[in-house]
């Protein structure tokens, strides 16, 4: 089988490429990535040179290029991770989110339709459901929760999901969608909460917590997410949405405190900064469908996963220190001011 993975030089796509290349030596994995600021070929190093792996640089929204690629490669499965993924960046520059996340998705699906791809899988997010109140811990997102987005990022992902569902109903494209909660783990770009806090705490720099730190995220280890997608593309029902999450809710403050304790750093590093506009309060996934239909079970809980992740960052300083320069540095100064 030949599988196209888009965005495989990013965080989750990169982990998925490692997972698939190692687990299925008989399959061919093609990694297509534009190498934006978030893409990093260092992430692909562990699989470079393997006979069932190939990297191609390109834009999922470039129609001519994508059609040529599909014609030449004849993919059986497409798994689309490629996206602009950072909420804060979507607030300062929404346009590119529409181009990559929406137009990129329809371009890939048009090619999948034309060249007879057997499964198109869209990697989506629980952020399409909006947020839940903090005082209703009994509420969870199910696959039937209405879409109700807050940020330009989540709006672009919800738009893409609606196109994917429309391509199933209108054209019969064999699609599946997964909507997962916040991922963490190795190769996570240090603009996101967990790697940002680990890298800054190690440098004894202030840790910018938005608002009062009471917002809740439902943390999913990236390896458990990769296993879920693998199950869905092989055994999931065409036309269906599957939520992915493992009941690991933590407030942002709890996450930061856990990291500080593990690194033996003082809480005085925490600095409360201006809240994100439109900041979603709580995300919480109900994964019953994935568990009962496909037998998915996460390997990590947050306590074991965060320890593994912190160790990874300690053992792979070169990977993230190389990123903490150039474009990223300018972004950080603009986003937070010189701190
Ligand atoms: P990321 O930002 O780390 O990686 C995105 C990758 O896509 C990068 O390698 C980038 O170079 C590539 N890319 C961007 N635009 C492209 C284009 N036009 N053509 C080809 N490649 C392009 O993102 P991530 O955190 O790994 O997220 C992957 C997917 O999972 C996204 O679709 C995101 O919406 C979704 N998701 C992420 C999370 C999370 O917690 N990180 C949670 C839920 C859903
Ligand atoms: P993030 O990693 O950006 O993921 P998302 O917005 O997709 O959930 O942020 C996770 C949470 O951490 C979110 O509630 C915002 C908060 N946060 C901070 O408090 N400080 C920061 O510097 C960042 C990047 C995020």
């Amino acid at each position: 089988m030949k599988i196209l993975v888009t965005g495989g030089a990013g965080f989750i796509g990169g982990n998925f490429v490692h997972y698939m290349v190692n687990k299925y030596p008989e399959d061919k994995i093609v990694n297509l990535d534009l190498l934006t600021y978030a893409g990093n070929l260092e992430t692909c190093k562990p699989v470079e040179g393997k006979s069932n792996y190939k990297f191609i640089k390109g834009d999922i929204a470039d129609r001519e290029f994508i059609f040529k690629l599909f014609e030449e490669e004849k993919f059986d499965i497409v798994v689309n991770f490629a996206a602009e993924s950072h909420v804060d960046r979507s607030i300062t520059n929404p346009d590119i989110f529409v181009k990559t996340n929406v137009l990129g998705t329809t371009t890939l699906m048009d090619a999948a339709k034309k060249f007879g791809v057997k499964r198109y899988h869209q990697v989506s997010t629980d952020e399409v459901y909006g947020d839940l109140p903090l005082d209703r811990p009994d509420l969870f997102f199910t696959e039937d929760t209405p879409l109700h987005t807050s940020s330009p990022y989540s709006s672009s992902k919800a738009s893409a999901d609606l196109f994917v569902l429309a391509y199933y109903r209108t054209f019969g494209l064999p699609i599946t969608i997964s909507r997962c909660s916040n991922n963490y783990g190795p190769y996570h770009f240090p603009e996101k909460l967990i790697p940002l806090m680990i890298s800054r705490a190690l440098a004894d720099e202030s840790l910018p917590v938005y608002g009062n730190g009471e917002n809740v995220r439902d943390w999913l280890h990236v390896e458990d997410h990769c296993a879920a997608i693998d199950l869905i593309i092989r055994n999931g029902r065409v036309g269906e949405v599957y939520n992915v999450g493992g009941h690991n809710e933590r407030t942002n403050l709890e996450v930061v405190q856990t990291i500080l304790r593990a690194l033996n750093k003082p809480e005085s590093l925490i600095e409360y900064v201006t809240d994100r506009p439109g900041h979603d309060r709580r995300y919480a996934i109900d994964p019953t469908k994935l568990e009962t239909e496909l037998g998915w079970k996460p390997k990590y809980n947050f306590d074991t996963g965060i320890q593994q992740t912190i160790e990874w960052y300690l053992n792979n300083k070169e990977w993230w220190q190389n990123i903490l320069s150039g474009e990223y540095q300018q972004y950080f100064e603009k986003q937070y001011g010189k701190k």
Side-chain angles (χ1 to χ4, degrees):
M1 240 177 359
K2 199 182 243 189
I3 304 175
L4 173 67
V5 178
T6 70
F11 164 46
I12 311 176
N15 278 278
F16 187 71
V17 164
H18 297 177
Y19 182 95
M20 297 296 279
V21 167
N22 293 322
K23 186 167 175 193
Y24 299 105
E26 72 284 7
D27 287 345
K28 284 241 170 309
I29 311 297
V30 177
N31 173 7
L32 168 68
D33 198 295
L34 184 58
L35 299 180
T36 67
Y37 79 93
N40 185 352
L41 280 181
E42 290 294 309
T43 299
C44 310
K45 270 260 164 70
V47 291
E48 256 171 33
K50 298 232 176 182
S51 58
N52 62 338
Y53 171 76
K54 179 159 95 177
F55 176 79
I56 296 173
K57 182 170 187 275
D59 186 347
I60 59 165
D62 180 341
R63 182 165 283 267
E64 208 182 307
F65 161 77
I66 287 294
F67 272 63
K68 199 158 163 273
L69 180 73
F70 274 62
E71 187 172 17
E72 281 167 13
E73 297 279 351
K74 305 194 175 23
F75 301 115
D76 298 294
I77 297 179
V78 173
V79 184
N80 181 28
F81 290 93
E84 288 293 330
S85 69
H86 192 35
V87 173
D88 292 331
R89 286 182 189 254
S90 81
I91 294 169
T92 46
N93 183 17
D95 285 19
I96 185 69
F97 285 72
V98 179
K99 182 172 181 236
T100 292
N101 299 1
V102 185
L103 207 59
T105 298
T106 54
T107 305
L108 285 172
M109 288 194 299
D110 284 338
K113 179 158 75 76
K114 177 155 187 203
F115 296 103
V117 165
K118 295 184 199 79
R119 177 67 67 88
Y120 174 90
H121 182 77
Q122 178 75 358
V123 180
S124 185
T125 167
D126 61 357
E127 300 192 28
V128 299
Y129 300 122
D131 64 350
L132 296 164
L134 291 175
D135 59 358
R136 289 292 307 274
D138 55 314
L139 295 181
F140 295 91
F141 296 136
T142 72
E143 289 80 1
D144 297 324
T145 302
L147 304 190
H148 187 80
T149 57
S150 315
S151 70
Y153 163 69
S154 54
S155 303
S156 69
K157 293 295 289 185
S159 307
D161 281 14
L162 291 173
F163 274 102
V164 176
L165 293 169
Y167 271 58
Y168 170 62
R169 174 143 179 184
T170 306
F171 306 119
L173 187 72
I175 63 94
T176 37
I177 298 176
S178 52
R179 294 182 179 145
C180 68
S181 53
N182 287 63
N183 282 219
Y184 67 104
Y187 301 106
H188 201 180
F189 194 83
E191 68 183 350
K192 304 283 173 71
L193 181 75
I194 288 180
L196 180 81
M197 298 301 169
I198 297 173
S199 59
R200 289 184 68 82
L202 284 172
D204 294 309
E205 289 168 339
S206 66
L207 309 186
V209 171
Y210 296 162
N212 59 11
E214 291 305 318
N215 301 60
V216 171
R217 296 295 182 263
D218 184 359
W219 293 97
L220 171 70
H221 194 280
V222 66
E223 222 178 286
D224 288 323
H225 185 197
C226 293
I229 294 176
D230 183 23
L231 274 176
I232 296 168
I233 59 177
R234 279 157 210 277
N235 305 328
R237 281 182 295 140
V238 165
E240 293 291 316
V241 174
Y242 294 89
N243 282 354
V244 192
H247 289 298
N248 278 287
E249 291 177 51
R250 296 286 186 283
T251 66
N252 293 338
L253 196 57
E254 284 167 344
V255 170
V256 173
Q257 286 166 335
T258 303
I259 292 169
L260 285 172
R261 269 196 307 276
L263 295 175
N264 205 12
K265 296 285 181 181
E267 288 205 8
S268 55
L269 287 179
I270 294 173
E271 186 180 336
Y272 293 94
V273 298
T274 312
D275 208 354
R276 170 186 282 172
H279 197 172
D280 280 339
R281 291 159 298 175
R282 171 175 169 251
Y283 303 141
I285 284 268
D286 176 351
T288 307
K289 182 174 175 183
L290 184 67
E291 288 172 345
T292 52
E293 243 184 57
L294 302 182
W296 177 79
K297 244 177 112 157
K299 204 166 110 185
Y300 293 93
N301 61 34
F302 188 71
D303 296 328
T304 55
I306 192 72
Q307 290 311 325
Q308 183 260 17
T309 302
I310 291 170
E311 273 163 38
W312 188 88
Y313 278 84
L314 287 171
N315 294 330
N316 292 274
K317 283 192 176 147
E318 212 181 297
W319 180 87
W320 55 268
Q321 280 172 347
N322 283 343
I323 294 171
L324 298 179
S325 61
E327 195 271 351
Y328 177 71
Q329 195 54 40
Q330 286 165 26
Y331 160 80
F332 192 86
E333 278 164 18
K334 200 162 142 223
Q335 175 69 18
Y336 299 97
K338 281 200 164 69
K339 289 205 166 78

